[in-house]
Amino acid sequence: MPASTCAYVIALTLRDLGVTVIFGLVGIPVVDIAEEAINLGIRFIGFRNEQACSYAAGAYGFLTGKPGVCLLVGGPGVLHGLAGIGNCSANAFPSLFLAGSSETNLVGKGAFQELDAVSFLTPHTKLAVRPSSKEPDAVADAIRRAYHSCWAGRPGPTFVDLPADLIMDEVSQLPKQLLAAQMQSPAKPYPDPTIVSEAVKLLRRCSSPLVIVGKGAAYARAEVAINAFVSSRNVPFLPTPMGKGVVPDNSRLNASSARSTALKEADVILLLGARLNWILHFGQPPKFRPDVKIVQVDISVEELGRTNGIGEPSIGVVSDIGAFVEELHRRLNGWQAFSSIASQDTSSFLGKLSAATSKNEKAAKAKALTATVSGSTLTYQRAFHIIKETLHRLSPPEQGNIVYVSEGANTMDISRSLFPLHHPRQRLDAGTYATMGVGMGYSIAAYAAYNLPHGQLLQGKRKKIVALEGDSALGFSAMEIETMQRQKMPILIVVMNNSGVYHGDTANAKDWELLQKQTAMDEAGLDESGKKKGLRSTSLWYETRYEMLAEMVGGRGFFVRSEEELAHATRESYHEQEKVCVVNVVVEPGLGKSIGFAWQQKAKKGSGEVKHSKL
């Protein structure tokens, strides 16, 4: 074979593992790996920041069911990429991270960007290794092991450290049996029949069952089994934000609009691919019944009972979710939770769910349908309603042609219940780690997964990627708009612009400029009457022109203040096939509103009672 370097061996190993897309940011010497990968037909998507590409690799792994691959430079590149590595670990996203490092003979001497990345990342990954030698077989073996490890069992991130001298070293032969190295999907664990029997008995005795569908169920491709079980057994279900679409949102058994009631009243909960963490209030009262029985199904045995007795499941099942639900469905032959899903008894479980749904949906509908008064600012609810109605006319949700990405405290919290999904793996958000800044990387990952010719999910139909971004959240990775346009990804980005983190400072430019002047003159603080002076810690520039980020790279930007402008911008952006679009929507600043998350616990003053606000 012609003389080549180990960079070629690394790229060839990735190709033969089935890798078709690499997310990364290059520098010396990992640029050689990227170039070799491109020459072998792998799509390399070069980002502007390591955080964004590390987020993208994880999301790609979730969407495709195969590891996402991220290529980083050493030292600071690894440190920046740690954000995505932690995000992948918390969310159980399969992802392989490769990074360059200092020459082996310079370790400990203060080499350029020197970092002991293996020791640093070992606590944060499933596996962190450096090839045992520069031999091609050793290099290929390290990559194969890391690829397999991130995918098998509970998915998560793995890391391979690649010293500069290894990458650039010439090789005279390729690794042995390289073409036979392509990995098969990991084996699926099947449930213990005895434990399934226990779950069957528990369900047959219950009166108020509930299925909670987590993003683990979406990752497991368990939608067929769960749909069959829920629909034929008449069991109400509650999807977590990224579990939406596993069962269509328009199902009459969907308890999302009665979430608090469903959790509080259920006597048996079938927990499918979700964790008893902060998102589900740790399974504790008063959000849950004190006597609730929880059947938790997870691929990871460590996850069962991980909360040390707080919300510990009554039955823990280590299994592939689809396999368990299929077996449970088979054994419950003849059983239905309810003979009819319509109940006139307001004291029954279904009656309480129906009443809560009606009340909550009426309140949400009233906010969404309240037209914007001329001269006033759009509310979040009204803006999202216009966007939703416009998109649904262009592409009904039943078709599943739109993937939603959302982040930002207000934007994510309000929008998640307003955009219905009928198909799984078509919603991404800040997730378990509540990571802000994921939106642009996730959007690029979704485009790669669904639309690229190399994409694992290409099914003849392109999907429109719609990112709903808070203005603060967008700021973490806004330069990736250039990445999108450079890669010719016509992603639609809607920025909800309230001129602040959580909320803005003022309702007009003149007042904001006064606050800015006070800060510049070092007069910020409180005046004699206790009134706040100067820009606060949550301040952002007043009505920043985010749409220009698209225009500066040849995309399309829309600055929106009215309902008519928003509907027009949404239509135009949806139809755009060549350019990234940014729709900058000026919304209410939220003056006087307290800062907090919808899931946050609040204690009443003067009492030991803990009040749980609605998630």
Side-chain angles (χ1 to χ4, degrees):
M1 59 166 284
S4 188
T5 66
C6 206
Y8 175 74
V9 171
I10 294 165
L12 190 62
T13 303
L14 292 172
R15 189 200 67 178
D16 290 340
L17 285 169
V19 174
T20 58
V21 178
I22 297 175
F23 307 92
L25 199 163
V26 298
I28 298 172
V30 297
V31 64
D32 293 352
I33 299 172
E35 289 298 309
E36 294 287 7
I38 293 171
N39 293 340
L40 288 171
I42 298 174
R43 179 73 167 260
F44 181 80
I45 300 177
F47 282 67
R48 301 298 294 267
N49 183 279
E50 288 93 354
Q51 288 186 12
C53 62
S54 65
Y55 296 144
Y60 186 83
F62 170 73
L63 293 173
T64 64
K66 296 183 69 175
V69 178
C70 184
L71 180 64
L72 306 170
V73 296
V78 171
L79 293 175
H80 292 167
L82 178 61
I85 290 172
N87 191 60
C88 289
S89 181
N91 286 290
F93 291 160
S95 47
L96 169 62
F97 290 83
L98 308 172
S101 62
S102 307
E103 293 88 338
T104 51
N105 66 313
L106 297 179
V107 171
K109 297 180 180 180
F112 178 68
Q113 297 185 331
E114 183 176 350
L115 173 71
D116 182 359
V118 172
S119 297
F120 178 67
L121 291 178
T122 293
H124 306 287
T125 58
K126 293 183 68 178
L127 176 70
V129 297
R130 171 182 282 189
S132 58
S133 75
K134 297 180 184 179
E135 293 299 316
D137 283 323
V139 174
D141 180 64
I143 294 171
R144 293 169 190 164
R145 285 192 294 119
Y147 187 89
H148 177 263
S149 180
C150 78
W151 201 8
R154 181 188 187 275
T158 57
F159 174 74
V160 180
D161 183 67
L162 300 166
D165 49 324
L166 178 150
I167 293 172
M168 297 183 292
D169 196 41
E170 288 193 355
V171 297
S172 58
Q173 62 181 20
L174 297 180
K176 297 183 182 70
Q177 299 180 331
L178 190 63
L179 295 178
Q182 190 163 349
M183 296 284 179
Q184 300 297 316
S185 299
K188 295 181 179 180
Y190 281 77
D192 183 331
T194 303
I195 296 179
V196 178
S197 296
E198 292 178 14
V200 168
K201 292 176 184 177
L202 196 60
L203 284 169
R204 287 189 182 277
R205 294 196 302 264
C206 76
S207 61
S208 308
L210 176 71
V211 174
I212 296 180
V213 183
K215 69 173 175 289
Y219 175 77
R221 271 70 181 162
E223 54 267 21
V224 173
I226 295 174
N227 264 291
F229 177 79
V230 165
S231 60
S232 64
R233 303 302 177 193
N234 281 347
V235 184
F237 72 95
L238 180 67
T240 64
M242 285 176 60
K244 284 170 65 68
V246 170
V247 183
D249 278 345
N250 65 345
S251 168
R252 293 181 64 191
L253 292 161
N254 188 352
S256 292
S257 295
R259 184 184 194 278
S260 296
T261 300
L263 293 178
K264 189 175 182 179
E265 298 292 336
D267 61 351
V268 170
I269 292 176
L270 191 58
L271 192 64
L272 304 178
R275 285 172 272 184
L276 294 172
N277 55 17
W278 63 271
I279 295 176
L280 290 174
H281 315 285
F282 310 101
Q284 297 181 86
K287 276 293 185 180
F288 287 70
R289 280 175 55 155
D291 61 344
V292 66
K293 305 297 182 185
I294 299 175
V295 181
Q296 184 176 8
V297 186
D298 202 283
I299 200 171
S300 172
V301 66
E302 292 85 0
E303 191 59 44
L304 306 178
R306 184 171 61 92
T307 48
N308 297 320
I310 301 175
E312 186 168 346
S314 304
I315 300 176
V317 186
V318 180
S319 174
D320 171 75
I321 293 168
F324 171 80
V325 174
E326 286 176 356
E327 183 63 13
L328 183 69
H329 187 30
R330 186 182 68 81
R331 294 200 190 193
L332 280 168
N333 185 37
W335 175 84
Q336 280 190 317
F338 304 98
S339 57
S340 171
I341 59 176
S343 175
Q344 304 300 319
D345 182 2
T346 57
S347 65
S348 69
F349 184 48
L350 288 183
K352 290 177 180 178
L353 291 181
S354 177
T357 296
S358 178
K359 176 184 176 182
N360 294 334
E361 288 186 351
K362 182 179 180 181
K365 188 175 182 180
K367 292 180 179 179
L369 295 182
T370 300
T372 307
V373 178
S374 177
S376 62
T377 310
L378 286 159
T379 64
Y380 282 88
Q381 290 86 351
R382 184 60 176 167
F384 287 140
H385 175 74
I386 293 167
I387 294 168
K388 180 189 73 172
E389 291 300 303
T390 303
L391 290 175
H392 284 187
R393 283 192 290 271
L394 297 167
S395 178
E398 295 84 0
Q399 295 178 0
N401 292 332
I402 298 177
V403 178
Y404 293 99
V405 178
S406 67
E407 62 170 338
N410 296 322
T411 300
M412 184 173 65
D413 191 42
I414 297 171
S415 70
R416 68 180 167 211
S417 61
L418 299 181
F419 291 84
L421 293 182
H422 291 210
H423 302 272
R425 298 173 295 281
Q426 292 188 202
R427 187 181 188 281
L428 298 166
D429 66 18
T432 303
Y433 223 26
T435 307
M436 293 301 154
V438 297
M440 298 296 93
Y442 279 13
S443 298
I444 292 170
Y447 188 91
Y450 287 106
N451 293 330
L452 292 185
H454 294 105
Q456 304 299 320
L457 302 180
L458 188 63
Q459 298 172 341
K461 260 197 214 177
R462 295 171 65 85
K463 297 189 186 298
K464 191 70 177 184
I465 314 303
V466 177
L468 304 172
E469 295 282 311
D471 49 357
S472 171
L474 177 71
F476 285 84
S477 54
M479 276 306 298
E480 303 309 333
I481 292 171
E482 184 274 331
T483 303
M484 296 174 183
Q485 186 60 25
R486 174 169 26 97
Q487 294 284 332
K488 226 170 183 183
M489 298 179 173
I491 293 168
L492 164 54
I493 302 164
V494 179
V495 186
M496 307 304 288
N497 187 350
N498 69 354
S499 301
V501 182
Y502 303 112
H503 58 66
D505 286 326
T506 70
N508 61 75
K510 183 178 179 181
D511 288 347
W512 188 89
E513 288 168 0
L514 174 60
L515 297 177
Q516 183 192 37
K517 182 178 179 181
Q518 290 170 341
T519 294
M521 298 299 292
D522 207 19
E523 296 174 355
L526 299 176
D527 64 16
E528 293 179 356
S529 66
K531 182 180 179 180
K532 294 178 181 179
K533 298 173 62 180
L535 299 173
R536 310 311 298 182
S537 62
T538 56
S539 300
L540 297 175
W541 185 269
Y542 186 74
E543 294 187 0
T544 301
R545 299 300 296 267
Y546 296 106
E547 77 281 1
M548 293 183 178
L549 291 167
E551 294 172 0
M552 73 180 184
V553 294
R556 298 182 67 184
F558 301 85
F559 185 68
V560 168
R561 287 189 182 277
S562 70
E563 295 186 5
E564 295 75 18
E565 290 172 340
L566 180 55
H568 170 76
T570 303
R571 283 193 301 271
E572 289 291 305
S573 299
Y574 180 85
H575 288 303
E576 179 59 61
Q577 296 297 315
E578 299 289 332
K579 299 178 180 181
V580 62
C581 295
V582 174
V583 179
N584 185 11
V585 187
V586 175
V587 294
E588 58 181 349
L591 300 178
K593 293 183 179 179
S594 60
I595 294 175
F597 295 109
W599 49 266
Q600 203 168 35
Q601 298 178 356
K602 297 179 180 178
K604 289 183 178 179
K605 287 185 177 180
S607 76
E609 181 182 352
V610 176
K611 182 180 179 182
H612 295 250
S613 59
K614 183 181 177 184
L615 177 62

